[in-house]
Amino acid sequence: MAAATEFDGLRVVLVAARNPLNIGAAARAMSNFGFPHLRVVNPYEAAFREARSAVGASALLASAEEYKTVADAVADCTLVVGTTAVRHRELQHPLRRLEFGTRLIRKQLGSGRVALLFGSEKFGLSNAALSHCHWLMRIPTCEANISMNLGQAVAVCLYEMVRDARAARSNEKIKRASSAELERVTTTLLEAMRASGYLDRRPIADVEERMRRLVRRLNLPSRDAVVWLGILRQIVWKLRSKGAIRTDSD
């Protein structure tokens, strides 16, 4: 799981939540994924801090900040993102896919605080609350039942953010193949194609350009490029040892 400090700048803001158990469930999801800061705006029930659904997240729930207005709750944030099920409402904001939106949020967290807003279970975010948002995200639920439980919606959004962060860190650790390595793979692949007679049966006018593009689309890590180069060289050697490669004197 991602370290808490990585997402320390995110503020999960629950606006007019009606059920204290849902607030507790949201707090539990935040605790699960390492998001420590919860804010609530006009919660329906003052006793939400005692919600039994906040398993393992009682401290997070106890430290939740309470506000009277959305404006106050997001005043210190440089980016405000709302969530919506869309329904039949006419949106005045850009609507982003969940995986793309969470990626933008992660980038923004490097330079400032971000507020992620969730509306009430029954009505979602009001137009007034949405007016504080820069853009919106939507969880791609089934059209037959588009509305999610508040705690579940929080969990899905935060999981996507953590999942994308882990994938990004994993990709950063992998050294990608250089252009020179990819060119060696391409050259050897072309040699194997010619040696095997493949191009005699299926001549391709721009074969070098096509194979070069194909190899680059593989997005190979450097270690995999070495493996592929070794495999292709072995194929060429085998063909050469059987006299499959013609010389100019043939």
Side-chain angles (χ1 to χ4, degrees):
M1 186 181 72
T5 53
E6 183 175 358
F7 297 111
D8 196 56
L10 187 78
R11 300 298 185 266
V12 174
V13 183
L14 308 183
V15 181
R18 297 171 58 84
N19 190 328
L21 292 178
N22 287 337
I23 300 177
R28 181 177 184 178
M30 292 174 63
S31 179
N32 287 149
F33 297 119
F35 295 83
H37 301 294
L38 173 63
R39 293 178 175 180
V40 294
V41 178
N42 290 328
Y44 183 74
E45 175 59 59
F48 72 88
R49 297 182 192 274
E50 302 170 10
R52 294 191 300 272
S53 54
V55 179
S58 55
L60 189 153
L61 197 58
S63 63
E65 300 174 273
E66 194 168 348
Y67 295 86
K68 291 293 185 183
T69 67
V70 172
D72 290 338
V74 303
D76 59 344
C77 298
T78 57
L79 173 65
V80 181
V81 179
T83 55
T84 178
V86 182
R87 297 184 190 275
H88 302 295
R89 68 195 306 173
E90 183 178 349
L91 300 177
Q92 304 299 321
H93 296 74
L95 182 64
R96 307 195 190 282
R97 291 173 52 178
L98 183 62
E99 63 271 26
F100 180 54
T102 52
R103 198 170 304 147
L104 292 178
I105 290 173
R106 283 201 312 107
K107 290 181 179 179
Q108 185 67 27
L109 285 173
S111 58
R113 289 180 177 175
V114 177
L116 181 57
L117 272 59
F118 296 86
S120 73
E121 300 88 333
K122 189 172 182 179
F123 301 110
L125 291 169
S126 66
N127 288 334
L130 288 175
S131 69
H132 293 277
C133 299
H134 292 86
W135 44 267
L136 309 177
M137 289 196 306
R138 174 179 180 266
I139 297 173
T141 50
C142 176
E143 288 299 323
N145 188 10
I146 61 176
S147 180
M148 292 186 71
N149 171 270
L150 177 59
Q152 292 176 329
V154 172
V156 169
C157 290
L158 299 187
Y159 166 73
E160 183 64 30
M161 200 170 305
V162 171
R163 184 194 67 80
D164 190 60
R166 293 181 68 178
R169 287 197 301 274
S170 177
N171 288 335
E172 288 169 1
K173 294 176 182 178
I174 297 175
K175 181 183 177 183
R176 314 313 300 184
S178 67
S179 292
E181 289 173 315
L182 295 177
E183 188 63 19
R184 285 193 288 271
V185 172
T186 303
T187 300
T188 311
L189 173 60
L190 287 166
E191 188 176 357
M193 292 170 68
R194 293 187 178 102
S196 66
Y198 179 85
L199 294 179
D200 293 334
R201 294 188 300 272
R202 297 186 60 184
I204 303 172
D206 57 345
V207 62
E208 290 192 17
E209 290 80 2
R210 286 197 189 187
M211 293 304 104
R212 189 170 288 114
R213 290 194 295 268
L214 182 150
V215 169
R216 278 153 179 75
R217 284 199 299 269
L218 296 175
N219 195 28
L220 292 172
S222 181
R223 62 174 182 265
D224 289 353
V226 172
V227 173
W228 277 110
L229 185 60
I231 293 170
L232 291 169
R233 282 175 172 169
Q234 182 66 21
I235 292 172
V236 170
W237 176 85
K238 194 69 173 179
L239 291 170
R240 190 176 281 148
S241 67
K242 290 184 176 181
I245 296 182
R246 298 187 297 272
T247 65
D248 294 337
S249 60
D250 290 342

